[in-house]
């Protein structure tokens, strides 16, 4: 079994770290608020009080933080998480970060004789809890093969290409998720406004070409008005905005993604950024002057 350092035990990181423990791996964890990692301590992890301790005497370091800037700071600052890693250890960034940031981090790791994988995930809190996450990986094949069993303890890893390609796959994933949430929201809103039972509509669509995990899971959240976050709207906006801007850097025009990005931006401006991304229905209701 492997010795692993794990940075970031939030909504997603906590169950991911727990599944690594269940698989029998030795785990050292660090979180900005140490008390939030106590459940992992009770499960057998060593909770580090100092950031640099999390990379000492481990073969793998997993980072599950909110964005690229935070990952860079925590990993590479003086006395950061990678400062005590031994050569040939593998850094696995499972956060959703810009493609360019992942490529730069890969180069920084090479300069330190470290391996690097960008391995963002999809599946939400439920997927993290059930170890069924889709894990999109960028990096060298040898590094992927070395880390594959560790990643399998958290979900289904697929090597997509070189450094940055995991993040590229995640951008595509987030575009599809965001635009589908928007379409499901519009469909349920139309059905309700026109006099159909949206609950029955969801049942009627089940099994057809319009069916999807988003219709089933987020459609249910919309119908029950359960916007406790599995994935927050602010994170969804960060990702789809990153996708739109990356497309622009390639001189691509993605009009649907741009429009949905604007909807999420408006949702954040209205104060709903901490809600689940299925809460986008509230922005559509605001646009149509309907009671929330």
């Amino acid at each position: 079994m492997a010795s692993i350092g794990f940075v970031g035990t939030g909504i997603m990181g906590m169950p991911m770290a727990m599944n690594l423990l269940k698989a029998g791996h030795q785990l050292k964890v660090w979180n900005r608020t140490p008390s939030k990692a106590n459940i992992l301590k009770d499960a057998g992890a060593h909770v580090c009080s100092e950031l640099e301790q999390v990379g000492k005497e481990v073969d793998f370091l997993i980072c599950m933080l909110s964005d690229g800037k935070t990952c860079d700071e925590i990993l590479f600052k003086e006395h950061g998480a990678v400062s005590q890693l031994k050569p040939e250890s593998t850094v696995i960034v499972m956060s959703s970060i810009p493609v360019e940031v992942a490529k730069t981090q890969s180069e920084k790791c090479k300069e330190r004789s470290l391996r690097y994988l960008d391995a963002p995930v999809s599946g939400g809190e439920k997927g993290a809890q059930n170890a069924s996450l889709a894990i999109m990986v960028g990096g060298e094949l040898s590094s992927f093969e070395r880390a594959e069993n560790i990643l399998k303890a958290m979900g289904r890893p697929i090597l997509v290409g070189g450094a940055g390609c995991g993040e590229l796959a995640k951008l595509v994933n987030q575009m599809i998720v965001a635009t589908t949430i928007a379409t499901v929201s519009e469909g349920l809103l139309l059905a309700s406004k026109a006099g159909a039972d949206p609950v029955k509509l969801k049942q009627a669509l089940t099994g057809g070409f319009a069916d999807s995990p988003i219709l089933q899971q987020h459609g249910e959240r919309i119908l029950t008005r359960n916007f406790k976050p599995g994935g927050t709207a602010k994170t969804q906006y960060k990702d789809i905005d990153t996708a739109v801007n990356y497309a622009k850097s390639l001189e691509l025009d993605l009009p649907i993604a741009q429009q949905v990005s604007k909807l999420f931006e408006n949702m954040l401006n209205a104060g709903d950024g901490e809600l689940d991304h299925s809460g986008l229905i509230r922005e559509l209701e605001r646009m149509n002057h309907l009671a929330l």
Side-chain angles (χ1 to χ4, degrees):
M1 292 298 157
S3 176
I4 305 169
F6 198 106
V7 176
T9 56
I11 291 174
M12 296 290 289
M14 177 67 74
M16 291 165 68
M18 188 65 75
N19 283 324
L20 289 170
L21 287 169
K22 289 178 181 177
H25 298 294
Q26 297 177 354
L27 203 64
K28 299 172 71 174
V29 300
W30 180 89
N31 196 66
R32 286 184 187 272
T33 306
S35 61
K36 291 184 178 180
N38 282 342
I39 187 172
L40 293 168
K41 182 178 181 180
D42 294 340
H46 173 73
V47 178
C48 299
S49 58
E50 300 294 333
L51 176 58
E52 63 182 334
Q53 295 174 354
V54 77
K56 191 173 184 179
E57 298 178 354
V58 299
D59 298 312
F60 300 88
L61 177 67
I62 295 175
C63 179
M64 190 60 183
L65 298 169
S66 58
D67 54 50
K69 181 179 179 181
T70 304
C71 288
D72 261 349
E73 177 188 356
I74 295 300
L75 288 173
F76 298 109
K77 68 179 181 179
E78 186 178 6
H79 305 300
V82 305
S83 61
Q84 297 296 315
L85 284 176
K86 57 192 175 184
E88 290 299 303
S89 297
T90 305
V91 176
I92 308 175
V93 175
M94 305 191 75
S95 312
S96 296
I97 64 176
V99 175
E100 300 93 333
V101 173
K103 290 180 178 179
T104 300
Q105 289 180 351
S106 177
E107 290 303 315
K108 288 180 178 178
C109 284
K110 284 182 181 179
E111 291 170 1
R112 296 168 182 258
S113 299
L114 301 173
R115 295 173 177 268
Y116 179 88
L117 296 171
D118 53 289
V121 303
S122 180
E125 185 179 9
K126 183 177 292 186
Q129 292 169 344
N130 296 336
S132 60
L133 292 168
I135 305 175
M136 299 149 274
V137 189
E140 295 180 357
L141 176 59
S142 60
S143 298
F144 174 74
E145 291 175 339
R146 181 176 293 199
E148 189 172 8
N149 285 336
I150 290 170
L151 295 172
K152 282 182 176 179
M154 297 176 283
R156 180 177 56 86
I158 299 291
L159 181 66
V160 182
C165 286
E167 299 299 342
L168 179 59
K170 181 60 185 289
L171 290 184
V172 173
N173 178 87
Q174 292 300 80
M175 286 171 53
I176 294 171
V177 169
T179 55
T180 306
I181 286 175
T183 302
V184 168
S185 298
E186 288 187 343
L188 294 177
L189 187 63
L190 174 62
S192 180
K193 180 70 173 179
D197 183 338
V199 174
K200 294 295 185 181
L201 174 73
K202 176 174 169 288
Q203 293 174 0
L205 297 180
T206 298
F209 277 0
D211 199 6
S212 68
I214 290 175
L215 175 63
Q216 294 303 322
Q217 296 179 29
H218 292 303
E220 186 66 21
R221 283 177 172 272
I222 291 167
L223 292 172
T224 60
R225 312 297 289 190
N226 174 20
F227 302 131
K228 179 182 177 182
T232 63
K234 68 178 183 181
T235 299
Q236 180 69 78
Y237 171 66
K238 170 184 70 72
D239 291 342
I240 192 168
D241 185 58
T242 299
V244 167
N245 289 326
Y246 186 62
K248 288 179 179 177
S249 76
L250 300 175
E251 299 183 349
L252 286 176
D253 187 12
L254 304 179
I256 295 173
Q258 290 171 20
Q259 183 61 44
V260 173
S261 179
K262 185 63 177 178
L263 284 173
F264 275 102
E265 182 182 11
N266 292 342
M267 180 181 175
L268 267 62
N269 290 338
D272 283 349
E274 297 295 337
L275 298 182
D276 187 83
H277 45 184
S278 59
L280 185 66
I281 185 71
R282 288 169 53 88
E283 184 56 35
L284 294 172
E285 291 167 341
R286 274 189 289 267
M287 290 175 60
N288 287 280
H289 308 291
L290 300 172
L292 300 181

